[in-house]
């Protein structure tokens, strides 16, 4: 049956491998790769025959994965990591090539050309493996993951000049014109893609969506992703890179979410073909015969690349756990190294032995990636406990010292807004920040700031943690939040801590370690958007507030279960409960209302309903606490304070006294 039978074999093997990995608590990609080894040409038994055709289908999986990634990540989100991507990634590639060259010449005794090829081959990391690992671990939206994605994009672009230069190392004069032409083609493609993506693609998707055919919409989305990828291939660039650019452009359109939803199932199916095809490349006989050499190469690649990635990430200002996570995440050898190694083999630049060694090492590092990435966080916690902290620098601190103040750990967007509000109210505060560039800017603005690690006892003592009134943890890093909270609780158990949560699942965990109040930014932003929607549809302000309080209570209330609350927390709960029972509601007075021309005392509203008129809105003027002699006029709106039953009684009274009940409204 040819390729149809091969696809059936692959899917069955992938299902069995995935089930085994799931039952053993391992990442699914491990099961897929092992399934590929079993059905590959080197193991016997049931074997895939059309390996080249499967590899071609696997390329579609890579393209769809990057297309979906482009739909999820907008240009604005990657803007924050553009420096480490544009400058750090090329620097990492150069350093890794130099490292590989040194290993090849000094340890393995290769000639300079093969050693340089080895460095180039190990300099690339696996986009497919990293993205799948990040998705499975649910951390694809973190800062460290965005740094990795930015670096991976630049690595994919670097494949093109490598394929041009490396085969012609002995004659660089001929390769430089080819490289210049490749750069020109890349610039031309990006210019065309930006024009088509911003003008043609949204119009096309809008037209197809208006036909209400989900099938046609799906075909259009896949065609755009794969078609643009093929266009980049014709331009001499990476097929997968073109698909990513298409996704990035479409992410700014109104149809990005539906496009992503439709393409995910296809992405996952074709992605399985990729991982199985990777497993089919491994020759177990070569691995057994050269086990020592392979393990030594894997260890060297892991140590060298992890250090290079970690140092590069830290050099660009990313602190906390980001350097370790990036280093452990990108240590593996990528799938584009297979393509580059095949070019080297075909041109006679590298030997069969080097090709097999790089291929086997790449597969082993891919298999190890999900396990290694899980160790980054525990290792970072161990490092924070054992290694001495960074030097302390303070700026703009008050001369009389810090007392009864607020400590802000992290000066990102949330920290900056918080500090601005505190300045307006004249509150005393100090900022703790580990990014030197941010510290320099804060210093110029005259804000009290301490350069140092907020988990450091020395830094916290310099910030006056023993004399502080409130501690705000506003760093975006999940691990950093927990480490800071634990350290603050150890130094001052009575200090009130307010922290942002990286995700909803972290809320309970933070409360369990002693954080008094937790705020989840995405949830609060979504609640505010919903409030704006309700305001747009003229829903009563009190109803909107009641809805917001209810939703917020449903999310945050379970956090306090099983925790002995402080007196302050008890008061807050009492106030919130009282606020829900005692609210203000607005009642407009229309021109025909019988209340017009009568005073509050004559109407006896409080004795008849229990509700009190606490304010009257007359145009733009607010009259607070009107007395019994106040006479209502046309166009006014009265504010009544009371329980829900009392306000309902007032509404019923107004409806009874109105000539037309419809003239009585509740805002």
């Amino acid at each position: 049956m040819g390729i149809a039978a091969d696809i059936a074999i692959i899917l069955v093997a992938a299902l069995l491998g995935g089930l085994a990995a799931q039952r053993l608590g391992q990442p699914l990609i491990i099961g897929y790769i092992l399934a590929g080894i079993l059905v590959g040409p080197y193991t016997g038994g049931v074997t895939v025959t059309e390996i080249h055709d499967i590899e071609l289908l696997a390329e579609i999986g890579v393209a769809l994965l990057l297309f979906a990634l482009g739909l999820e990540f907008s240009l604005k989100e990657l803007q924050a990591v553009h420096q480490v991507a544009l400058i750090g990634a090329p620097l990492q590639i150069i350093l890794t090539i130099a490292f590989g060259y040194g290993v090849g010449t000094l340890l393995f005794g290769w000639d300079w050309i093969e050693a340089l090829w080895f460095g180039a081959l190990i300099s690339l990391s696996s986009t497919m493996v990293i993205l799948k690992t990040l998705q499975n671990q649910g951390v694809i939206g973190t800062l460290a993951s965005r740094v990795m994605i930015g670096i991976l994009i630049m690595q994919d672009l670097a494949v093109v000049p490598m394929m041009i230069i490396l085969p012609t190392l002995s004659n660089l004069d001929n390769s430089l014109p080819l490289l210049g032409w490749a750069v020109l083609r890349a610039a031309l493609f990006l210019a065309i893609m930006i024009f088509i993506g911003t003008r043609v693609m949204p119009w096309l998707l809008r037209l197809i969506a208006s036909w209400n055919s989900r099938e046609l919409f799906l075909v259009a989305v896949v065609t755009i992703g794969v078609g643009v990828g093929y266009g980049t291939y014709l331009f001499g660039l990476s097929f997968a890179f073109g698909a990513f650019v298409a996704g990035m452009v479409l992410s700014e359109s109104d149809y990005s979410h539906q496009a992503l939803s439709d393409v995910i199932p296809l992405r996952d199916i074709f992605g399985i073909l990729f991982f199985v095809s990777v497993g089919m490349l491994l020759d177990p006989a070569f691995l057994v015969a050269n086990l020592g050499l392979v393990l030594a190469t894997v260890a060297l690649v892991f140590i060298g690349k992890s250090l290079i990635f970690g140092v590069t990430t830290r050099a660009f200002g990313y602190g906390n756990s980001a350097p370790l996570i990036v280093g452990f995440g990108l240590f593996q050898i990528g799938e584009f190294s297979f393509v580059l190694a095949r070019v080297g083999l075909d041109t006679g630049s590298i030997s069969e032995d080097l090709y097999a060694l790089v291929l086997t090492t790449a597969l082993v590092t891919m298999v190890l990636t999900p396990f290694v990435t899980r160790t980054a966080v525990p290792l970072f916690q161990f490092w924070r406990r054992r290694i001495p902290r960074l030097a302390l620098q303070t700026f703009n601190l008050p001369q009389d010292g810090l007392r009864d103040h607020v400590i802000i750990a992290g000066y990102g967007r949330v920290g900056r807004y918080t500090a601005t509000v505190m300045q307006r109210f004249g509150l005393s505060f100090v900022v703790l920040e580990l990014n030197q560039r941010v510290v320099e800017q804060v210093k110029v603005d005259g804000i009290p700031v301490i350069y140092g690690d907020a988990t450091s006892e020395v830094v916290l003592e310099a910030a006056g943690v023993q004399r502080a009134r409130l501690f705000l943890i506003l760093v975006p890093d999940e691990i950093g939040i927990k480490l800071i909270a634990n350290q603050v609780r150890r130094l001052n158990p009575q200090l009130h801590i307010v922290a942002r949560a990286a995700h909803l699942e972290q809320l309970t965990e933070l409360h369990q370690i002693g954080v008094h109040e937790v705020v989840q930014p995405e949830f609060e932003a979504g609640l505010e958007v919903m409030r704006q929607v309700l305001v747009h549809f003229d829903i009563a302000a009190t109803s909107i507030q009641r809805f917001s309080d209810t939703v917020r209570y449903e999310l945050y209330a379970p956090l306090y279960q099983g925790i002995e609350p402080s007196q302050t927390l008890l008061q807050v709960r009492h106030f919130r409960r009282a606020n829900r029972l005692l609210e203000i509601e607005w009642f407009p007075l229309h021109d025909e209302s019988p209340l017009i021309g009568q005073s509050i005392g004559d109407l006896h509203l409080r004795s008849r309903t229990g509700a009190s008129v606490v304010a009257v809105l007359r145009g733009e003027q607010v009259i607070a606490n009107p007395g019994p002699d106040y006479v209502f006029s046309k166009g006014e709106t009265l504010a009544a304070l009371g329980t829900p039953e009392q306000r309902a009684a007032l509404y019923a009274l107004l409806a009874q006294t109105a000539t037309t009940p419809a003239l009585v409204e509740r805002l």
Side-chain angles (χ1 to χ4, degrees):
M1 293 180 62
I3 191 172
D6 289 341
I7 293 177
I9 292 172
I10 287 173
L11 293 178
V12 171
L15 176 61
L16 295 176
L19 290 174
Q22 181 72 20
R23 293 293 295 174
L24 295 174
Q26 303 304 319
L28 294 181
I29 61 174
I30 302 301
Y32 299 153
I33 293 176
L34 293 178
I37 296 174
L38 293 177
V39 300
Y42 303 106
T43 54
V46 180
T47 303
V48 173
T49 57
E50 305 295 336
I51 296 178
H52 179 66
D53 293 338
I54 297 299
E55 290 175 345
L56 294 178
L57 291 176
E59 287 188 27
I60 298 178
V62 177
L64 290 177
L65 180 72
L66 288 176
F67 178 61
L69 177 68
L71 288 171
E72 291 183 89
F73 282 86
S74 66
L75 291 170
K76 296 177 181 178
E77 290 178 316
L78 291 179
Q79 177 67 22
V81 298
H82 72 281
Q83 287 187 338
V84 71
L86 296 176
I87 304 175
L91 178 62
Q92 168 268 316
I93 292 174
I94 294 172
L95 291 175
T96 308
I97 291 176
F99 169 76
Y101 178 84
V103 169
T105 54
L106 299 178
L107 296 182
F108 295 154
W110 297 330
D111 62 59
W112 72 273
I113 292 182
E114 281 203 328
L116 202 60
W117 268 89
F118 176 73
L121 292 172
I122 67 172
S123 68
L124 303 175
S125 302
S126 175
T127 303
M128 194 73 170
V129 171
I130 285 299
L131 293 183
K132 197 66 175 178
T133 301
L134 294 176
Q135 289 170 351
N136 291 340
Q137 295 179 359
V139 294
I140 199 165
T142 62
L143 178 62
S145 68
R146 290 200 293 269
V147 172
M148 286 190 277
I149 291 169
I151 293 175
L152 288 168
I153 293 171
M154 294 305 298
Q155 284 187 355
D156 292 346
L157 286 174
V159 173
V160 177
M162 285 184 182
M163 293 180 65
I164 296 174
I165 295 176
L166 289 175
T168 58
L169 286 174
S170 57
N171 188 10
L172 291 177
D173 292 338
N174 293 333
S175 62
L176 290 179
L178 295 176
L179 179 60
W181 173 234
V183 172
L184 181 62
R185 285 182 298 179
L188 179 61
F189 165 76
L190 289 176
I192 295 174
M193 191 62 223
I194 291 174
F195 174 79
I196 296 177
T198 56
R199 303 292 180 86
V200 179
M201 288 183 185
W203 171 82
L204 178 62
L205 289 180
R206 185 165 52 249
L207 176 64
I208 295 176
S210 67
W211 295 341
N212 295 322
S213 174
R214 185 160 186 175
E215 182 178 349
L216 281 178
F217 188 83
L218 172 61
V219 172
V221 169
V222 176
T223 300
I224 289 174
V226 178
V228 173
Y230 180 69
T232 57
Y233 171 76
L234 295 179
F235 269 81
L237 301 173
S238 166
F239 180 82
F241 171 71
F244 176 79
V245 172
M248 288 280 284
V249 173
L250 282 181
S251 69
E252 306 298 329
S253 73
D254 297 332
Y255 301 95
S256 60
H257 297 294
Q258 184 60 48
L260 178 62
S261 174
D262 288 345
V263 82
I264 282 177
L266 286 175
R267 176 201 69 184
D268 293 339
I269 293 297
F270 280 97
I272 289 174
L273 294 179
F274 168 79
F275 289 111
V276 173
S277 68
V278 167
M280 290 189 299
L281 297 175
L282 179 64
D283 184 358
F286 178 86
L287 177 61
V288 172
N290 301 274
L291 184 60
L293 178 61
V294 171
L295 292 179
T297 306
V298 170
L300 289 169
V301 168
F302 170 72
I303 295 172
K305 291 188 69 174
S306 296
L307 286 174
I308 291 172
F309 276 112
V311 172
T312 302
T313 303
R314 186 67 189 91
F316 280 85
Y318 298 96
N320 292 320
S321 59
L324 196 62
I325 294 175
V326 173
F328 278 24
L330 297 179
F331 81 94
Q332 78 288 131
I333 301 175
E335 56 273 2
F336 283 115
S337 297
F338 303 157
V339 179
L340 194 59
R342 173 56 64 180
V343 173
L345 187 65
D346 293 341
T347 58
S349 302
I350 62 175
S351 63
E352 290 277 358
D353 290 340
L354 178 57
Y355 175 80
L357 176 62
V358 171
L359 191 65
T360 306
T361 303
L363 293 175
V364 173
T365 55
M366 286 182 178
V367 171
L368 292 176
T369 296
F371 303 102
V372 172
T373 54
R374 290 179 178 177
T375 66
V377 171
L379 186 60
F380 176 73
Q381 293 174 321
F382 174 81
W383 177 81
R384 279 293 175 85
R385 291 192 298 265
R386 303 290 181 182
I387 303 301
R389 305 304 196 253
L390 297 174
L392 179 67
Q393 300 179 45
T394 63
F395 307 96
N396 304 324
L397 296 188
Q399 295 181 354
D400 55 352
L402 294 165
R403 186 173 298 277
D404 199 30
H405 59 289
V406 180
I407 302 175
I408 305 175
Y411 199 73
R413 287 174 294 182
V414 179
R416 184 167 60 253
Y417 298 150
T418 304
T420 301
V421 173
M422 289 185 180
Q423 279 185 311
R424 291 183 179 179
F425 281 90
L427 300 179
S428 176
F429 67 94
V430 63
V431 173
L432 306 182
E433 179 56 56
L434 194 56
N435 189 320
Q436 183 64 47
R437 288 175 297 187
V438 175
V439 170
E440 292 297 328
Q441 182 60 48
V442 176
K443 182 176 66 173
V444 172
D445 295 338
I447 294 176
V449 59
I450 297 176
Y451 171 71
D453 188 349
T455 65
S456 167
E457 181 176 347
V458 176
V459 172
L460 292 176
E461 289 179 350
V465 69
Q466 300 290 351
R467 305 178 301 277
R469 185 171 182 174
L470 183 66
F471 199 104
L472 306 182
I473 305 177
L474 304 180
V475 298
D477 179 37
E478 176 182 354
I479 306 305
I481 295 172
K482 293 190 292 185
L483 293 175
I484 295 171
N486 284 325
Q487 187 73 300
V488 171
R489 290 285 296 168
R490 187 181 68 84
L491 296 175
N492 187 354
Q494 305 304 319
L495 182 59
H496 198 97
I497 302 175
V498 178
R500 63 176 291 179
H503 47 75
L504 292 176
E505 293 75 12
Q506 197 183 14
L507 295 176
T508 303
E509 181 182 9
L510 290 177
H511 266 281
Q512 289 174 346
I513 64 177
V515 176
H516 296 78
E517 295 288 341
V518 182
V519 178
Q520 213 291 313
E522 286 75 15
F523 167 78
E524 295 293 342
L527 196 59
E528 175 61 21
V529 170
M530 194 65 243
R531 193 186 72 81
Q532 294 293 342
V533 172
L534 297 178
V535 169
H536 184 77
F537 283 91
D538 299 325
I539 305 298
T542 53
S543 298
I544 296 175
Q545 186 61 45
R546 191 181 303 113
F547 166 77
S548 300
D549 290 342
T550 300
V551 174
R552 191 176 283 110
Y553 177 79
E554 290 174 352
L555 176 71
Y556 292 118
L559 303 178
Y560 299 99
Q561 296 179 0
I563 300 176
E564 187 65 29
S566 65
Q567 184 63 29
T568 302
L569 286 179
L570 286 174
Q571 292 175 352
V572 170
R573 294 190 200 177
H574 295 331
F575 287 143
R576 288 177 177 173
R577 182 161 53 247
N579 185 54
R580 288 193 296 272
L581 294 175
L582 197 64
E583 293 181 338
I584 294 176
E585 190 165 354
W586 294 86
F587 297 86
L589 299 181
H590 292 275
D591 293 345
E592 300 180 20
S593 172
L595 272 65
I596 296 175
Q598 299 191 53
S599 68
I600 295 178
D602 293 338
L603 291 170
H604 304 289
L605 294 179
R606 183 172 183 180
S607 61
R608 297 168 68 181
T609 65
S612 301
V613 177
V614 295
V616 175
L617 181 63
R618 177 187 295 171
E620 297 182 356
Q621 180 184 7
V622 178
I623 302 171
N625 297 317
D629 297 331
Y630 183 83
V631 178
F632 293 113
S633 303
K634 292 182 179 181
E636 293 182 339
T637 302
L638 62 91
L641 175 68
T643 65
E645 293 77 11
Q646 292 169 342
R647 288 181 277 110
L650 176 60
Y651 173 76
L653 176 63
L654 295 178
Q656 291 174 3
T657 57
T659 56
T660 304
L663 294 178
V664 181
E665 293 183 7
R666 304 177 72 179
L667 293 182

